[in-house]
Amino acid sequence: MQDQDVQPFLIGAEWTRGEGTPFESRNPATGALNGLIGAASAADVDRAVATARAAQAEPAWRDMLPHKRAAILRRLADLIEADAEWLARRQMQENGKRLQECRDQALAGANAYRYFAGICEVMPSEVAPARGNHLSLVVYEPFGVVAAITPWNSPLTLESQKVAAALAAGNAVVLKPSEFTPGPALRVAALALQAGLPPGILNVVTGLGLETGGALVAHPDVRLISFTGGTATGKAIARAAAQRMAAVALELGGKSPHIVFADADLDKALDGVLHGVFSSTGQSCIAGTRLFVERGVYDAFVARLVARTRELKVGLPDDPATQVSPLSSFIHRDKVESMVAMAAEDGGRILAGGTRPADPALAGGAFFLPTIVAGLANDARLCQQEVFGPVLCVLPFDDEADLLRQANGTAFGLAAGIWTASMPRAWRVARALEAGTIWINTYKELSVSVPFGGFKESGSGREKGFYGIRTYQEPKTVMWGLA
Ligand code: NAD
């Protein structure tokens, strides 16, 4: 292995290969090697945090006026937009996501920078009602150094919404992307320097979870850890952060209920259910993976769903006809496969999929057919554990009380969908569901302008929307005596 073949990462203005053992990035659609990526050791992470801390304290960033900070974020958005095709193709090569979705995500990433640039310019401080002879002011300060740790499923959007908000709030960031998808973060960091962001304000350290991510989480100068990923990792991070009272914002896993009442527009509901679970090959934290259908229409609805699922076009991510692309890695495909076997052991009936595709053209990739499993109770392992793949559990329900008991009968609480023609019922059920986002007669609509996050074990804290900026700030009270 030649040293120059290793993709370096960014500390300050310096690109470095790091002291860790480089790791491979592979294309899950073909198994081809994308390249070798430099790994940051604990010493590299320490250097990145020290660089971020020094840069954040510099007047050039600390005292930069909000409209000037916003101008840098807007320039970065323009550069991301101009580079969208490269970014989209790189993400596709790393996680196998459909090219069109990657393109949409690159543009959504650019727009997250624009949105938080706007917020940066209008962020208010407050004059609180005085309860004495003083002026009570509330100002919002940056944390200092923020660690952003991200998963592989949608780096283009997830990283933008974290980094844009953290920078708009005046922090410096050390971003650790997933070891499966380092490319977009490295490219965006290079564009950020080009946009005029002072060196050291955005650093990217690539590497494995425990080694590089663990060092970042344990670092005493990281004051906020903004993490998106699995619930088990999120709990480990929260425990480590508690040792030194570092703040955490956690966007974790899901097992979202998708609910169809008998009075719904069943054609639209069918489209919504298919899109809700099988888009992004089910590798979406908000995927509607537990389908609850009112008993009167259950058999007919599930029969139509199975027929439509079998028709979905599984294929290469850059084929425009593809509806379901590969899983993000071979190791992840094996996990999905073993969870379907587990469901069969527990008495689940596989109504669609359940295997790898037979098409020889797809034999070299990490493919798995969209799968529907019936016959399990809501407390079965497949209905309780996150698969993060194209696997749907279907369950009937009798009435609203039965539905809510089952739908809320999960450790997770990220999202939920309701299909019904009754407005009062939609409102009642929406308020009773324990989840951070509820869709009514639609599913998986996302917007940077509304807060996003989980109830229960799906996380704590919110990203996006106006709340998104407050996640990256600490309120400070200033009491000014007037006596
Ligand atoms: P993961 O938890 O395995 O890894 C996420 C990131 O954490 C990676 O960068 C990884 O290297 C790092 N990491 C792993 N162990 C670590 C440790 N001990 N200390 C510090 N960092 C560590 O998750 P994944 O497999 O990359 O992503 C899939 C998960 O992400 C799913 O559970 C999914 O639901 C969740 N997710 C949640 C959201 C959301 O917004 N709620 C969005 C997308 C994905």
Side-chain angles (χ1 to χ4, degrees):
M1 179 183 64
Q2 298 291 307
D3 198 35
Q4 65 268 25
D5 293 338
V6 175
Q7 162 74 53
F9 54 87
L10 183 66
I11 298 179
E14 183 204 337
W15 291 92
T16 169
R17 285 166 181 81
E19 291 177 347
T21 309
F23 59 96
E24 284 184 358
S25 158
R26 280 199 182 270
N27 185 334
T30 60
L33 185 68
N34 291 322
L36 287 172
I37 315 294
S41 66
D44 295 320
V45 168
D46 187 45
R47 210 152 49 84
V49 174
T51 303
R53 191 174 181 208
Q56 201 270 335
E58 280 290 317
W61 183 246
R62 198 193 54 207
D63 299 338
M64 186 181 278
L65 295 172
H67 65 287
K68 299 212 161 144
R69 195 176 287 156
I72 295 177
L73 298 181
R74 287 197 189 94
R75 276 201 296 278
L76 176 53
D78 291 345
L79 290 171
I80 292 173
E81 197 165 293
D83 202 39
E85 189 62 22
W86 190 97
L87 286 164
R89 285 187 181 272
R90 174 42 59 122
Q91 178 173 279
M92 177 192 73
Q93 281 162 5
E94 291 183 343
N95 72 2
K97 199 184 268 291
R98 286 185 316 107
L99 181 56
Q100 190 50 49
E101 190 181 347
C102 293
R103 287 178 175 140
D104 294 343
Q105 289 196 325
L107 298 181
N111 281 332
Y113 282 96
R114 293 196 179 102
Y115 179 80
F116 282 107
I119 293 216
C120 187
E121 291 207 51
V122 300
M123 265 183 314
S125 300
E126 290 151 27
V127 181
R131 294 175 71 99
N133 194 9
H134 49 246
L135 196 56
S136 304
L137 305 171
V138 184
V139 290
Y140 293 87
E141 304 283 13
F143 277 86
V145 179
V146 171
I149 303 180
T150 51
W152 43 259
N153 64 322
S154 295
L156 280 170
T157 48
L158 298 179
E159 287 163 5
S160 301
Q161 73 204 33
K162 281 191 196 306
V163 174
L167 297 183
N171 297 284
V173 176
V174 180
L175 168 61
K176 195 213 90 60
S178 166
E179 51 274 42
F180 293 101
T181 49
L186 293 167
R187 182 80 160 197
V188 169
L191 296 177
L193 289 177
Q194 223 176 299
L197 194 71
I201 295 299
L202 175 58
N203 310 273
V204 177
V205 289
T206 47
L208 305 184
L210 266 183
E211 190 180 275
T212 308
L216 197 50
V217 166
H219 200 291
D221 289 334
V222 168
R223 294 312 312 155
L224 166 68
I225 302 155
S226 173
F227 171 77
T228 300
T231 291
T233 316
K235 286 181 182 175
I237 287 175
R239 275 193 297 271
Q243 297 304 314
R244 58 189 166 83
M245 295 309 293
V248 289
L250 303 169
E251 301 286 347
L252 309 178
K255 196 80 200 178
S256 299
H258 203 161
I259 299 157
V260 178
F261 284 97
D263 68 351
D265 180 330
L266 295 177
D267 294 336
K268 286 196 179 141
L270 194 57
D271 289 342
V273 168
L274 276 168
H275 171 69
V277 66
F278 296 131
S279 58
S280 314
T281 318
Q283 299 168 118
S284 166
C285 51
I286 49 176
T289 49
R290 290 182 302 144
L291 172 66
F292 294 99
V293 185
E294 198 165 359
R295 200 176 293 277
V297 294
Y298 176 85
D299 287 339
F301 190 83
V302 170
R304 289 179 68 196
L305 182 66
V306 167
R308 288 278 300 277
T309 300
R310 289 189 181 136
E311 283 165 12
L312 289 172
K313 162 108 171 91
V314 179
L316 292 167
D318 56 355
D319 176 350
T322 292
Q323 292 169 296
V324 180
S325 59
L327 287 154
S328 63
S329 66
F330 293 87
I331 191 168
H332 186 50
R333 193 259 306 271
D334 293 350
K335 183 191 150 207
V336 170
E337 206 164 37
S338 72
M339 290 189 80
V340 172
M342 171 189 84
E345 253 171 51
D346 288 351
R349 281 178 290 114
I350 314 290
L351 303 184
T355 61
R356 302 175 186 192
D359 183 351
L362 305 182
F367 290 89
F368 197 76
L369 290 177
T371 297
I372 299 180
V373 182
L376 292 173
N378 184 53
D379 59 2
R381 290 181 289 176
L382 190 75
C383 299
Q384 291 294 319
Q385 297 174 15
E386 187 183 44
V387 180
F388 218 59
V391 180
L392 174 70
C393 304
V394 292
L395 302 103
F397 69 89
D398 292 313
D399 53 33
E400 258 177 62
D402 177 37
L403 165 76
L404 288 172
R405 190 179 43 77
Q406 295 195 69
N408 287 335
T410 163
F412 296 109
L414 195 55
I418 307 165
W419 294 84
T420 178
S422 161
M423 210 172 140
R425 172 158 51 208
W427 182 241
R428 221 169 32 237
V429 174
R431 296 302 303 269
L433 285 168
E434 297 165 349
T437 297
I438 311 285
W439 288 288
I440 298 171
N441 293 337
T442 183
Y443 201 87
K444 228 178 160 184
E445 300 269 4
L446 292 167
S447 163
V448 72
S449 66
V450 286
F452 178 83
F455 283 28
K456 293 155 69 178
E457 293 197 13
S458 288
S460 64
R462 292 293 180 271
E463 291 198 298
K464 305 200 283 188
F466 192 78
Y467 281 74
I469 196 91
R470 294 301 190 216
T471 296
Y472 292 91
Q473 296 175 317
E474 297 206 87
K476 180 190 277 174
T477 298
V478 181
M479 300 278 266
W480 200 322
L482 298 176

